[in-house]
Amino acid sequence: MSLCIGCMHEMGDGVLCPHCGFDNTKTQTAPFLPYGVVLDKRYVIGNNIETNGESTTYIGYDREKGKIVFVREFLPAGYYSRSEGKVKLEIDPAKADTFQRLLSDFEQFFSFLSTLKDMSAMNPITDIFRANNTCYVVEDGEELISFEEYVARNNGMIEWEVARPLFMPVISLLEALHKNGYGHYAVSPANLYITTSGKALLLGFATINERRRGTPLKSQLYSGCAAPEQYEQNFPLDNITDIYGFTATLFYALTGSLPASAPERKTDGALLMSTNTVKRLPPHVVSALANGLQVKREDRIIDFGDLRSQLSVAPTVKAIQDEISRTASMATSVKPKKKNFGMSPLSVGIIVTVVALLVFLWIGILIVDKTVDETDPYKDTTPATQTTLTPIVDDDWKGETLKDYVGQKYSTAKVELEGKGVIVYQTAYADSSDGYSDQYDEGVIMSQSFPEGTPLDAEHGLTVTFKVSKGSLKCELPDDIKGKSLRSVSDSLTDLGFTAVYAEEKASSDVEKGYVICYKDYDAGDKVSRNSDIYLLVSSGKSN
């Protein structure tokens, strides 16, 4: 079998890979390992795909399991040399003590990460070994797409409904890291990947030596996601630091752009967010973004439980939102009452809008309303007819008219109408609880933007939007989770619309360490809202 050294897929007898186009006549220059080197009599080394000041990662092939892997090699810049075509590192004698300490930190950190292999946002580490005067870490080589590409494929930003199940497992992973005295400190779009099954994986791990200024290694920071304290010499990093990076990455997902770099934000801490984006997002999510991205550490969200809570639907915020909506509705009544202090409906509406604006400004969101050209990523390109509910009546119309599609499959209606030249959209959900229905099955239309009888005047760009059911809000929790891996339980719950959260460890006499014991707050078979966080108890092994 001939493997492409660029992608590790079988390529036949040619030199240019038919899968990735890599030229297999090339050589890999020092200090990186030569192409085709076999480590531990098992791992074939291919192209270098990522490098930082602490290590480099190669694509590889596990001959024993017959699968693609990622192989990370400890290569701290400035502490070693490797001759061209050689495998063994030559350590600088004057720096040998520091090299060994850094090597020990590296091995200890990734050994701990290997215990988190069942967390759904963690790419499993399958092997760690020393050779060639250094250390190697082997990870699964599942086919992935970068988060940046994923967002680009979704028109440059994603909705909160899509982001929530992707990001909540990442919070659980970061929480588990910090509970054990470690951190990531480089959460960013560049280190987030999406699997073919639609799950998010956090990659780009490195020891704190690589993420903090003032250590023996040259620090690698990600502009827009690195917290202000990471730019200071020897500043202690903690969960508050990772909350900043996480929130910046979520900000990127929801808005299509990163916040300004931390040094820039020290002079102006405001976050730029377009009015269209603010309208799209639930208010509690906008508030959580602002609180997680505070420049001053003392003003920032301080733990992952609080972060998770703020990103969930907050009853208080929801009540305020409902009251504003109710007041705005009153303000548009035809005959205002004197209890509005004699003000006109327009005046009341303006006051409500100003108050809402001031709230957002107070939490640090600067709402930008721009007049933009076609290239502006914030431009609202939704046709004006999308949100109107006013029937279109034309007594002279002799052509086909819109049917009542409520109760029919969205996929069927979309194909039928697009075949007639009509533009069809599915409306975005207002928040994480919107769109569920006990009356309509999943994928069935619940409402439409224009009523039955509207002329199908495709020549004038008729656009019809449908609100589509996500099925029943409540669903029974699976009853077969005991003794299963955290990853498999998490995947099952995610498929049902829940978010699995690693809650805590508990001693167990009959469940192996690291495997799920039970739900923390529910029993199997309980009917729970699909958008809920489901906390899991994991075995710590038998009690002493």
Side-chain angles (χ1 to χ4, degrees), residues 60-76:
Y61 186 80
D62 183 348
R63 298 195 301 186
E64 185 175 300
K65 293 186 176 180
K67 60 185 291 187
I68 297 171
V69 293
F70 300 132
V71 181
R72 183 185 299 270
E73 182 180 35
F74 179 66
L75 290 179

Side-chain angles (χ1 to χ4, degrees), residues 394-401 455-456:
D394 186 348
D395 294 334
D396 296 327
W397 179 259
K398 304 301 181 184
E400 192 173 2
T401 59
L456 290 183

Side-chain angles (χ1 to χ4, degrees), residues 46 267 458 502 513:
T267 56
Y502 175 89
K513 182 178 180 180

Side-chain angles (χ1 to χ4, degrees), residues 114-133:
S114 69
T115 68
L116 303 178
K117 61 181 181 295
D118 286 327
M119 302 201 74
S120 64
M122 181 74 198
N123 195 35
I125 293 173
T126 57
D127 200 3
I128 300 175
F129 60 94
R130 288 199 185 196
N132 307 321
N133 285 335

Side-chain angles (χ1 to χ4, degrees), residues 17 74 104 198 214 298 324 335 365 394 422 476 484 534:
C17 177
F74 179 66
S104 178
E298 60 268 25
I324 290 176
K335 294 181 180 180
I365 297 289
D394 186 348
V422 178
E476 287 189 4
K484 288 192 173 182
I534 306 299

Side-chain angles (χ1 to χ4, degrees), residues 154-175:
N154 285 274
N155 298 317
M157 63 183 72
I158 60 178
E159 300 299 330
W160 171 239
E161 273 292 315
V162 177
R164 186 180 186 279
L166 292 175
F167 278 82
M168 286 302 185
V170 178
I171 292 181
S172 295
L173 176 56
L174 293 171
E175 190 172 31

